Amino acid sequence: MNAETHAYNGLPGPRTGSPPRAPGSVRRTTSLDVTRPDGPDGPIHVWGRARDLLTGVDGSSRVLEHGLVHIVVEDGVVTYLTTAPVRSAAARLVGRQALVGWRSALWRELRDDVEGGSALHLVLDDLPGGMIVGGFTRRRALAQLAAGPVKHPGRRLDVCAGWATGSRAARHLDTHGYGPRAVTPAAPTLVPPEDPIAWHTLPDLPIWGLSRRRRIDVRPLPADPAAGAPSGSPAVQVDAMFRDSFRDGDGHEKVLHEYGITTTLDGTGAVQAASADPRVLPHLECPVAAASATHLAGMPSADLRDRVSLTLYGPGSCTHLNDLARSLADVPVLLRAYQNA
C-alpha cells in the first residue's frame, strides 16, 4: 500500500513485478516510449516495442511474434515512421495527424494488422494515447524551466470521471488556470528478478520521457460442456494491465496511471465478467470510473475496440481504462496463436 496515493484518492499504488507466467499461456507485452531529445518543444521521438511470448505446459518459453516502431512527430504530424516487421504501406502514414484520424488511417493502410490483431498494430494503435499523456511531461518540463506552474489552455469536461463538471480538477483549473498537481509515486520494476524474460526489453527513459507499458496474459481453461460451449472452444482467463510512467527532472521514474483488469471469456469469446483494479490515477474522482468495466460483460471480445468506443464514455468512464479494455480485442488472436503453436 502506497501511503501517498491512498491518502489522496484511496488507491493502493503501483504493483511491483508481474504475475508468474502460467504454464499453457501467452503473454503480450508492449511499450511506447515518448521522448523529446531536443527539449519540450522539439520533435517527439516515439519508440515502440512488442512481443508475444508462449509459455508451454512444460514451462518452456518461445517468442511467437514481435514488433518494433520508430515514429517522429512534429507539430502533431508524423514525419517519419519505420516498423519491424517491415510494412511497405506504413509509408503512407507519414504526413498523417498523430491524434485525430490516426486509428482510422491504420485501418485503411494496415488493415491486415488491425483485423489480425498483430502485436505491431497494438503499438501503433497506442500512439494517440501516448501523445496525449506525453503532454503531461511537457507541461512538467516547462514548469521546471519556468520555476512555477504553467497555465493550461483549458480542456473539455465530462470526457472522464477525473475531469467531470464540478470535479476537483475542473474547479482547480477554473480557479488557478492549471490542474492540480498529480500524486505520482515511484515506479517499481515490472520485471520480477526471478523471471527476467517476463517482459520484452524495456530501455531506460530519458529525463521527461514517458512510457506506456501494457501486459495481456491469456490462459485457456478446460472446456466445460455443461456451460454450453462449443466443442474445442475452452473458456479463457485474461489478466491485463497498463502503466504510464515518466522520468522527472531529478531522474526519478514516477507512475502517472496504472490500471489492471481481469476478465473471463466463455467458449464463444464473449466476456463473462470483468473487474478493474485502479492502482494509480491523477485526480480525486478518477477511481469512480473503475465500475464501468462491468459493462463489458456480454460483449464479444473480438468487437471490444468498437463496442468500448461506442458505449463507455462520459463522466463515469476513463479514457485510459477504455484503451486497456479495447486491447482485449486481441485475446482471440492470442488464443489462436497458442492453439497453433
Side-chain angles (χ1 to χ4, degrees):
M1 181 73 68
N2 181 278
E4 191 178 19
T5 59
H6 189 260
Y8 180 60
N9 56 11
L11 296 183
R15 289 188 181 276
T16 299
S18 299
R21 290 180 289 118
S25 67
V26 177
R27 171 171 292 181
R28 169 169 289 182
T29 56
T30 69
S31 60
L32 195 77
D33 295 351
V34 181
T35 67
R36 299 174 183 266
D38 298 318
D41 291 317
I44 300 169
H45 286 255
V46 181
W47 303 89
R49 297 171 183 242
R51 187 196 68 185
D52 292 347
L53 183 69
L54 169 73
T55 302
V57 293
D58 60 355
S60 61
S61 303
R62 179 157 61 93
V63 174
L64 299 178
E65 187 179 347
H66 74 278
L68 296 171
V69 171
H70 180 204
I71 304 171
V72 180
V73 180
E74 300 180 66
D75 297 323
V77 175
V78 173
T79 58
Y80 177 84
L81 171 62
T82 60
T83 69
V86 173
R87 299 288 190 262
S88 58
R92 295 196 289 271
L93 295 169
V94 174
R96 303 275 188 177
Q97 291 283 333
L99 284 171
V100 179
W102 175 255
R103 286 167 173 164
S104 296
L106 286 180
W107 184 81
R108 287 193 298 270
E109 306 299 349
L110 299 177
R111 191 172 304 181
D112 287 346
D113 282 280
V114 175
E115 296 182 347
S118 72
L120 178 65
H121 165 253
L122 184 56
V123 176
L124 290 168
D125 182 80
D126 241 352
L127 180 62
M131 291 291 295
I132 291 171
V133 180
F136 167 87
T137 55
R138 176 180 178 272
R139 290 190 296 274
R140 280 265 179 125
L142 291 173
Q144 183 179 28
L145 292 172
V150 175
K151 295 291 184 181
H152 196 287
R155 60 169 298 150
R156 288 176 56 200
L157 299 181
D158 293 331
V159 296
C160 64
W163 284 100
T165 299
S167 66
R168 179 176 180 268
R171 296 195 309 270
H172 195 284
L173 178 62
D174 187 55
T175 301
H176 301 284
Y178 53 89
R181 190 171 182 84
V183 170
T184 53
T189 181
L190 289 168
V191 183
E194 68 276 12
D195 187 12
I197 64 169
W199 282 72
H200 62 279
T201 302
L202 297 171
D204 287 338
L205 284 170
I207 298 295
W208 297 121
L210 178 136
S211 186
R212 171 161 285 194
R213 297 168 183 176
R214 298 191 180 280
R215 171 183 57 78
I216 306 174
D217 284 347
V218 176
R219 182 167 71 94
L221 301 174
D224 181 6
S231 176
S233 300
V236 181
Q237 189 175 71
V238 182
D239 181 281
M241 63 81 67
F242 88 94
R243 173 189 289 177
D244 288 333
S245 63
F246 67 97
R247 193 167 297 279
D248 67 14
D250 295 323
H252 304 299
E253 188 175 356
K254 303 289 190 68
V255 178
L256 178 61
H257 304 108
E258 183 170 322
Y259 245 118
I261 191 169
T262 55
T263 67
T264 303
L265 311 183
D266 65 19
T268 69
V271 177
Q272 288 184 310
S275 175
D277 179 24
R279 308 292 304 188
V280 180
L281 294 169
H283 301 304
L284 185 64
E285 292 86 357
C286 285
V288 171
S292 67
T294 61
H295 298 303
L296 300 177
M299 294 184 184
S301 56
D303 296 343
L304 283 175
R305 282 200 169 86
D306 292 333
R307 292 286 192 100
V308 168
S309 298
L310 292 172
T311 59
L312 302 186
Y313 56 85
S317 69
C318 171
T319 54
H320 309 293
L321 176 58
N322 286 358
D323 266 352
L324 178 58
R326 290 176 68 256
S327 71
L328 301 185
D330 295 341
V331 168
V333 175
L334 295 173
L335 180 61
R336 286 195 295 272
Y338 168 80
Q339 293 168 336
N340 295 331

